[in-house]
């Protein structure tokens, strides 16, 4: 695909790096030469210096024959105008905008064809908030990822000493949870992937990815490790967009405190967060943390705009007795260094966000993409089309499908509404007004003899991202069927 990316910030740069590796024709536009030069030196792509929403700059970037435009600048208004121009001047087929302001997101008519012509609005802060919320809901998990609008979950946990499965074969898992269906999709040991088989033995320290119906996640986690106590007390470092959003979500069910150094931001938070204790101070102030009983906190979330402050505050909170600490860290090299070395979970905002964009770039009918292990692996939800004569998937048992090495089909969701209705229902699902068809959809944890049917939503784990294209080709139907 020929893709134009507007904005070379953290999100734009990460997306560009991921898409270039998949042999797409990428052009990145930004006003700052200093942001574009490192990209051009490292990656095989074009760069254009200029304002993202100026027609002449868009022409230089090749918008006239682009397949997709990703408006990812830090300005919502610039992104909206760029989508409108891409539609009206260049008829760009797909237009995606990064939108940060809640007020815009609360009025979806703004994105319609009659207004700013945005096909898909992505809000990184909202995605991050939901991601962290899941980690708080399941405190023993390293990642919790949803598929089929929440009917299926993929969860990563670290196998710890004393866990029921340590030293046992995977085939014994069913004996431990006879009434629950689950499947281990992948195991990473010392940063190397292990293809899970019945004879595979789980060792202490393994990072185990398992898939199950969302309602069974807690019970399955309990088999892999002793469940942590529920989270009640949460301290948030930073009252910016992400910190504020997380506090809004948690304030009714948790005891929440926010530390913020900007007094004006503190005043604003006080007016909108009535069940949250707002503290004015420096998140790296050791005395402040001690005076606010950091040792009694179940989770400490370092969510400021400074990754250095996040690292320092999280390390200090852990040393002072916080049960679990989470830190937002922009640079991937820092994430790799800090994960597990004093910081329980290091989150790369760009890596968490990128999956929402990748679903629109993938070939075939891709419903969901989650980027895993700093982009090295992926979990996908694809829809199977065709019949036994036109598809290499439909009408076949799992054992008959020639999957690329390291690819696991973990689950199938059968009976979901068609994709156009499926996406239309997402907002209704979030508002608990779920359609009967969605409720009646069946989650099937796959085995070697499971047969895939037409319109099944198939959830796969791919340990090597380079194999994704081969997986997508498997789901393509021949021209005769179309």
């Amino acid at each position: 695909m020929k893709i134009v990316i507007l904005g070379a910030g953290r999100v734009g740069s990460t997306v560009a790096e991921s898409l270039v590796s998949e042999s797409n024709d990428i052009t990145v536009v930004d006003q700052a030469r200093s942001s574009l030069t490192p990209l051009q030196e490292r990656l095989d792509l074009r760069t254009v210096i200029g304002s993202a929403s100026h027609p002449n700059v868009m022409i230089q970037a090749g918008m006239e024959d682009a397949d997709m435009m990703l408006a990812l600048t830090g300005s919502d208004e610039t992104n909206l105008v760029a989508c409108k121009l891409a539609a009206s001047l260049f008829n760009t087929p797909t237009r995606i905008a990064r939108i940060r302001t809640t007020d815009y997101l609360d009025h979806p008519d703004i994105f319609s064809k009659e207004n700013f012509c945005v096909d898909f609005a992505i809000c990184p802060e909202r995605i991050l908030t939901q991601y962290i919320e899941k980690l708080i809901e399941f405190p023993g998990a390293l990642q919790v990822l949803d598929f089929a609008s929440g009917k299926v979950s993929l969860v990563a946990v670290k196998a710890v000493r004393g866990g029921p499965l340590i030293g046992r074969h995977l085939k014994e898992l069913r004996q431990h949870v006879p009434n629950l269906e689950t499947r281990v999709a992948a195991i990473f040991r010392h940063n190397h992937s292990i293809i899970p088989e019945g004879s595979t033995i789980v060792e202490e320290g393994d990072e185990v990815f398992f898939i199950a119906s969302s309602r069974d996640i807690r019970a399955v986690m309990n088999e892999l490790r002793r469940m942590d106590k529920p989270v009640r007390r949460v301290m948030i470092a930073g009252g910016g967009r992400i910190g504020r959003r997380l506090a809004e979500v948690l304030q009714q069910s948790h005891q929440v405190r926010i530390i913020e150094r900007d007094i004006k931001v503190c005043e604003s938070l006080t007016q909108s967060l009535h069940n949250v204790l707002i503290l004015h101070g420096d998140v790296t102030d050791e005395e402040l943390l001690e005076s606010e009983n950091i040792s009694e906190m179940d989770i400490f979330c370092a969510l400021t705009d400074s990754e250095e402050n996040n690292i320092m505050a999280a390390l200090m909170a852990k040393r002072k007795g916080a049960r679990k600490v989470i830190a937002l860290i922009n640079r991937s090299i820092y994430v790799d260094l800090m994960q597990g070395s004093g910081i329980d979970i290091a989150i790369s905002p760009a890596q968490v966000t990128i999956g929402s964009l990748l679903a629109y770039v993938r070939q075939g009918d891709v419903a969901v993409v989650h980027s895993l292990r700093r982009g090295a692996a992926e979990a996908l939800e694809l829809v199977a089309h065709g019949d036994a004569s036109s598809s290499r998937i439909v009408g076949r048992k799992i054992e008959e499908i020639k999957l690329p090495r390291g690819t696991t089909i973990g689950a199938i969701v059968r009976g979901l509404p068609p994709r156009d209705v499926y996406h239309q229902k997402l907002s209704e699902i979030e508002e608990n007004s779920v359609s009967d068809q969605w409720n009646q959809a069946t989650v099937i944890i796959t085995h070697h003899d499971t047969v895939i049917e037409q319109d099944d939503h198939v959830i796969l784990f791919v340990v090597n991202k380079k194999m994704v294209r081969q997986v997508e080709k498997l789901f393509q139907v021949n021209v005769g069927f179309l």
Side-chain angles (χ1 to χ4, degrees):
M1 297 180 70
K2 184 172 183 180
I3 303 171
V4 177
I5 299 174
L6 308 180
R10 295 288 184 191
V11 176
S13 298
T14 303
V15 171
E17 186 170 357
S18 178
L19 297 182
V20 163
S21 68
E22 299 173 12
S23 302
N24 293 293
D25 182 358
I26 305 297
T27 301
V28 182
V29 179
D30 200 281
Q31 288 182 307
R33 185 185 297 273
S34 58
S35 298
L36 294 173
T37 301
L39 285 177
Q40 199 162 26
E41 291 175 349
R42 290 189 299 112
L43 307 172
D44 181 18
L45 49 70
R46 289 181 62 237
T47 60
V48 175
I49 299 173
S51 177
S53 59
H54 286 187
N56 286 336
V57 174
M58 298 173 97
I59 291 172
Q60 291 179 49
M63 195 72 76
E64 292 169 305
D65 59 348
D67 299 303
M68 178 182 292
M69 184 198 71
L70 307 177
L72 306 177
T73 76
S75 166
D76 290 352
E77 292 72 22
T78 298
N79 296 337
L80 288 170
V81 171
C83 285
K84 180 65 174 178
L85 292 177
S88 58
L89 298 183
F90 308 108
N91 198 29
T92 307
T94 304
R95 302 163 302 276
I96 298 174
R98 175 189 184 185
I99 302 296
R100 306 175 73 185
T101 306
T102 305
D103 203 18
Y104 289 145
L105 296 167
D106 290 340
H107 296 84
D109 288 346
I110 291 172
F111 310 127
S112 68
K113 292 181 180 179
E114 292 74 29
N115 293 303
F116 284 102
C117 305
V118 178
D119 294 314
F120 180 61
I122 178 174
C123 178
E125 290 82 5
R126 177 176 286 180
I127 294 169
L128 272 170
T129 301
Q130 293 169 346
Y131 185 90
I132 297 170
E133 185 186 356
K134 284 286 186 181
L135 294 175
I136 292 173
E137 182 182 355
F138 299 100
L142 300 174
Q143 282 185 300
V144 183
L145 306 171
D146 282 344
F147 295 89
S149 296
K151 290 194 76 72
V152 175
S153 293
L154 177 72
V155 181
V157 297
K158 181 158 283 190
V160 296
R161 181 178 300 176
L165 265 189
I166 295 293
R168 297 178 180 273
H169 295 93
L170 284 183
K171 60 187 177 184
E172 298 180 43
L173 178 60
R174 197 159 189 173
Q175 299 172 12
H176 285 277
V177 282
N179 300 319
L180 301 176
E181 283 284 346
T182 186
R183 181 185 176 100
V184 174
I187 296 174
F188 287 86
R189 183 174 297 161
H190 307 304
N191 288 324
H192 292 93
S193 63
I194 296 173
I195 298 173
E197 298 174 345
S199 58
T200 303
I201 296 176
V202 178
E203 296 183 4
E204 181 184 350
D206 283 354
E207 191 173 334
V208 181
F209 286 82
F210 70 88
I211 195 164
S213 176
S214 296
R215 66 175 181 267
D216 296 333
I217 289 299
R218 202 174 297 277
V220 177
M221 281 182 66
N222 201 35
E223 287 305 311
L224 291 172
R225 55 174 294 147
R226 292 194 179 114
M227 284 290 287
D228 292 348
K229 292 185 295 183
V231 172
R232 293 285 179 265
R233 295 175 292 273
V234 180
M235 182 175 286
I236 299 172
R241 293 175 186 268
I242 301 170
R244 181 192 291 264
R245 281 179 178 275
L246 184 62
E248 286 175 351
V249 171
L250 299 178
Q251 64 177 336
Q252 299 301 329
S253 53
H254 297 75
Q255 299 173 25
V256 183
R257 303 180 187 190
I258 295 180
I259 301 176
E260 170 57 47
R261 68 185 307 171
D262 188 323
I263 187 63
K264 292 184 178 180
V265 174
C266 287
E267 292 170 354
S268 174
L269 291 171
T270 303
Q271 293 174 4
S272 60
L273 301 174
H274 303 297
N275 296 316
V276 176
L277 178 62
I278 312 299
L279 305 167
H280 177 232
D282 191 329
V283 298
T284 60
D285 185 337
E286 191 171 356
E287 292 184 2
L288 175 60
L289 293 178
E290 287 183 342
S291 67
E292 293 301 325
N293 302 314
I294 186 63
S295 62
E296 297 178 3
M297 293 298 126
D298 296 314
I299 286 188
F300 178 87
C301 302
L303 310 178
T304 75
D305 292 332
S306 166
E307 62 186 352
E308 287 81 7
N309 282 346
N310 289 342
I311 292 170
M312 291 301 297
L315 290 173
M316 194 178 300
K318 189 69 174 180
R319 193 182 68 188
K320 293 294 180 181
R323 179 151 62 95
K324 186 173 185 177
V325 298
I326 297 172
L328 285 189
I329 303 176
N330 287 315
R331 278 173 276 195
S332 59
I333 189 171
Y334 282 12
V335 173
D336 294 336
L337 287 172
M338 302 312 302
Q339 177 90 28
S341 59
I343 294 177
D344 296 299
I345 299 179
I347 299 174
S348 166
Q351 285 297 335
V352 171
T353 303
I354 195 173
S356 300
L357 296 168
L358 291 178
Y360 285 82
V361 182
R362 295 282 186 251
Q363 297 175 1
D365 196 354
V366 181
V368 176
V369 177
H370 288 296
S371 182
L372 307 169
R373 297 193 63 82
R374 275 71 76 188
E378 283 189 7
L380 306 95
E381 176 186 338
L382 295 99
V383 184
H385 294 297
D387 52 31
S389 62
S390 63
S391 169
R392 285 171 282 185
I393 297 290
V394 176
R396 288 168 172 77
K397 296 178 181 179
I398 300 292
E399 63 186 2
E400 297 172 345
I401 300 171
K402 295 181 180 178
L403 292 168
R405 180 172 174 78
T407 301
T408 305
I409 296 178
I412 292 170
V413 182
R414 183 167 293 160
L416 281 171
R419 283 292 303 286
D420 54 345
V421 179
Y422 177 71
H423 280 300
Q424 181 184 339
K425 292 292 181 184
L426 289 183
S427 60
E428 298 178 19
I429 288 169
E430 291 170 359
E431 296 167 6
N432 297 320
S433 176
V434 188
S435 69
D436 290 339
Q437 191 173 358
W438 187 88
N439 265 332
Q440 293 168 9
T442 304
V443 176
I444 302 169
I445 302 302
T446 60
H447 301 284
H448 66 94
D449 57 351
T450 303
V451 177
I452 295 178
E453 297 181 3
Q454 184 176 353
D455 295 328
D456 280 352
H457 284 240
V458 183
I459 298 157
L460 306 96
F461 192 104
V462 186
V463 297
N464 185 348
K465 181 185 170 182
K466 294 179 181 178
M467 299 297 177
V468 168
R469 285 293 185 218
Q470 295 182 37
V471 172
E472 291 169 347
K473 288 179 180 178
L474 277 176
F475 280 78
Q476 293 176 356
V477 296
N478 64 37
V479 177
F481 178 81
L482 296 175

